[in-house]
Amino acid sequence: MSLIVGVDDYSSESDVIIIPSALDFVSQDEMLTPLGRLDKYAASENVFNRQMVARSLLDTLREVCDDERDCIAVLERISRLADDSEPTVRAELMEQVPHIALFCQENRPSIPYAFSKYLLPIVVRYLADQNNQVRKTSQAALLALLEQELIERFDVETKVCPVLIELTAPDSNDDVKTEAVAIMCKMAPMVGKDITERLILPRFCEMCCDCRMFHVRKVCAANFGDICSVVGQQATEEMLLPRFFQLCSDNVWGVRKACAECFMAVSCATCQEIRRTKLSALFINLISDPSRWVRQAAFQSLGPFISTFANPSSSGQYFKEESKSSEDTSVEDKNRIRDQEVPEDVQIRPEDVSSDPSISNSSVKLENMVEEHAETSRKSPGEISVPMDSSLLCTLSSESHQEAASNENDKKPANCKSTLRPEGGTSSPDSALLDQELYNSFHFWRTPLPEIDLDIELEQGSGNILSPERPEETPEVTIPGSSNITMATRKELEEMIENLEPHIDDPDVKAQVDVLSAALRASSLDAREEASDAEKRSDGQDALGANELPNCKTTHDASVPLISDAVENMDSALRYIHNDSDLSTNSSFSPDEERRSKVQDVVPQALLDQYLSMTDPSRAQTVDTEIAKHCAYSLPGVALTLGRQNWHCLRETYETLASDMQWKVRRTLAFSIHELAVILGDQLTAADLVPIFNGFLKDLDEVRIGVLKHLHDFLKLLHIDKRREYLYQLQEFLVTDNSRNWRFRAELAEQLILLLELYSPRDVYDYLRPIALNLCADKVSSVRWISYKLVSEMVKKLHVATPPTFGVDLINELVENFGRCPKWSGRQAFVFVCQTVIEDDCLPMDQFAVHLMPHLLTLANDRVPNVRVLLAKTLRQTLLEKEYFLTSASCHQEAVEQTIMALQMDRDSDVKYFASIHPASTKISEDAMSTASSTY
């Protein structure tokens, strides 16, 4: 039997079987109009054909868009197709509605109101469809239409919202009701506050109290934050908060978990008072919830919730840049520091201030100078405070200068209450001249006078009042606040320092130890020097009063502290030690003291205590194995909220997280350490973050990449000397746990480009240059392309540096290592570097023509075509675009033209092509992709 179907030579004509070709159907469809084809397949009994009709609706509309009647006819057929009994057809139609609506919007003049009349009713009707797939598709379509603002506001109010409210009625289908509530919540941010408050909010509040279905309450709880952010503070506090309290105490744990997840958004919509008094207690209940899943969600939201307590006036940070002088500091910063740091006992009575103009002027100048000193050497809150009250009036009358010189050991700090009572007879011309001096040099620590002696033992019998020989001519200075200092002997100082040593890691304690050590050194000066100095002072009182004081400098180094500052901090340290007997007797803090050290008033203490407990190992077993990671993730936000003055509350927690066994926790900290450095400021960063940063540098690659990605951001915050220490460690980034981790080296190249601005030309040449050249020879092309940019920026920096020999030496090294490299890949890298230097104007063209171009042109005879192709591109598309080679008829231009002519006659067709024509300019990345990606 023959298997061939056709005409058999031995059969009759009646036996011939004719099979129609598929081309016959195509020809028949081509004869139909777009509407005819639409009607033909829409009426087909084949479901697949009707699905194809739904998919082709947009194409049909585009074909008939010039005829308004045909467009209306297509839209009417869409309405009929929406009644199809097959769910897949309806779902397919709904997927096309957003695209059709966008087309109608673009062609609005020809088909006005098409969407509102024909498409929107279908979308709304499908929200209640019996088929789940159709409902889901219509919900997605509605949200897409709202997001693209394709639905008129009037239609939202009159056609969409009424249907959703009807679907959420008590007698509605359970699944439909739950989905309708979700749609209402998701569309609230899109429709705005007015429509949400008038139409959505009342029904939403009812749904929060749906006693029959916990699914509805769970949806309401999950979207509670979005509704609060839309309606604002007043509506949230009046209408929504009571519902939120009910949901947080719901008997279904899933509802409570949803409340915990949106707690931050709800808190942001309330005032500070409600947040502190009501929401804090509510959140504590969630943290102690019986359900582990609720506790887990609550702890994840704890850090974000604490961040809502941030007060811009208290958490606003100030960071002293190196180039920022004290004059650049705003007046507000000065006032804020004055309010925070001036002791309460520092006062000045207006009636005690001299009315002498010379004294007043010099006092004002001195006060301004001390303020500048405080600005340039300011500490973070809790560290050494600098007094800046107007009581710092250290100007003495001319009669008292000699006594001041001879009794310098008896001087008291100027931060105490000072009373100036100038007597008659002190306004002589000589006195007026001396009163114009800004300050007495003996009131300041400074290098030229290392023999300044602050012998506390000698002051024990001096009391609080100076006793000059001529009291009738000398202003009386009372020192009521130095009783602790006068009673402190060297032995007591040694005991205090010894007791503070175990807590030296605390910056506050360290500052106190430094002050006490300075006082101890000052009181232990050699007795012979003391006797000699006393003899000199007694013999040369007249000369000192008449000669040295008028010649004393009126400025001082901002880094040199005042004696008064040192004594004031000694006073505060002594008071701290005497008041805290446990600290002076025990070698470690007691639990109560540790707890007190973590007390603050920015956020409710119960919340902070719960946050600090997230590093407790028991939490990982009872709550969440990744709870430490959540703690690390939110720590910068908590630190910003508390402010740097409360960093001591978080320091121990941060150190615990930095040494956590899970590398994911350390990785999280590594990615955010630069942000924390900005929050804490330079001093706390150097004390607390730099050691942890150094530890991260030696960690796993997964942790090191976090440090590397923000290396520039962190190093720029450090002092220049501290920053230079990391030059020796940059080379270590070239070594990774996995040599295939090329993205690590690519990130290093990106960071080195940014680091160029932080280091001097010599440092760049000595330390960054070897790394850059190493990366230019990397095995991975992506690393090399970034390295070419790095080397070109390095050439730019070193060329303008003084001396310029660094730039010349770098160029010579590029020529030697790459331009004359025995490997063709190295020579091609040299062309890439030259191309980047030209494109980014890293060298003046005359300098480029002298130092790089001769070596570049010699590659026209290179034996590898890839090198010559890239050379042709560089010369034709980059070099000849520069005005220097277009206008000047120099020998350099002639050499370039001769090289191009030689390349135009090259035996390789690609080289000829790029050298002969002038294609569209391409950048280095495109060149690399097209020229070398497959072969290099």
Side-chain angles (χ1 to χ4, degrees), residues 97 137 151 181 190 284 390 402 414 425 482 485 536 642 655 698 830 848 850 894:
V97 165
T137 310
I151 305 180
V181 172
M190 304 177 190
I284 294 296
S390 56
Q402 295 178 0
S482 59
I485 298 176
K536 290 179 181 179
L642 295 179
E655 293 172 353
K698 303 173 183 177
F830 178 75
F848 178 85
V850 173
E894 183 178 351

Side-chain angles (χ1 to χ4, degrees), residues 33-47:
T33 63
L35 284 176
R37 288 198 303 272
L38 196 66
D39 291 335
K40 175 182 177 181
Y41 290 105
S44 173
E45 296 182 357
N46 191 332
V47 175

Side-chain angles (χ1 to χ4, degrees), residues 402 405 536-551:
Q402 295 178 0
K536 290 179 181 179
R537 288 195 295 272
S538 62
D539 292 341
Q541 287 179 1
D542 295 336
L544 184 62
N547 297 328
E548 181 175 346
L549 288 178
N551 295 330

Side-chain angles (χ1 to χ4, degrees), residues 877-894:
Q877 300 176 12
T878 306
L879 190 65
L880 291 183
E881 291 293 321
K882 296 297 179 180
E883 186 177 358
Y884 179 82
F885 293 97
L886 293 177
T887 58
S888 62
S890 61
C891 59
H892 302 302
Q893 183 184 19
E894 183 178 351

Side-chain angles (χ1 to χ4, degrees), residues 377-386 493 496-497 500-501 503-521 561 565-574 576-577 651 683-684 687:
S377 62
R378 56 184 295 194
K379 300 282 185 178
S380 62
E383 296 188 14
I384 299 177
S385 61
V386 180
L493 287 175
M496 296 168 188
I497 294 175
L500 288 174
E501 284 293 340
H503 317 292
I504 196 68
D505 293 337
D506 191 332
D508 298 338
V509 178
K510 184 178 184 299
Q512 296 164 2
V513 171
D514 293 340
V515 172
L516 293 175
S517 300
L520 184 62
R521 287 194 301 270
D565 298 343
V567 179
E568 178 197 18
N569 287 280
M570 286 165 43
D571 190 11
S572 63
L574 292 171
Y576 175 79
I577 295 169
R651 182 189 296 110
Q683 296 177 1
L684 288 175

Side-chain angles (χ1 to χ4, degrees), residues 73 152 205 225 251 358 448 459 494 538 578 655 710 736 828:
E152 297 290 341
C205 292
N251 57 359
S358 62
E459 295 185 0
E494 293 173 354
S538 62
H578 288 310
E655 293 172 353
H710 303 286
T736 56
Q828 189 183 51

Side-chain angles (χ1 to χ4, degrees), residues 714-730:
F714 186 83
L715 293 184
K716 74 178 181 181
L717 303 177
L718 302 181
H719 189 270
I720 181 64
D721 296 333
K722 195 69 177 178
R723 188 187 304 156
R724 290 193 74 253
E725 296 178 4
Y726 291 93
L727 285 170
Y728 310 96
Q729 304 182 45
L730 293 176

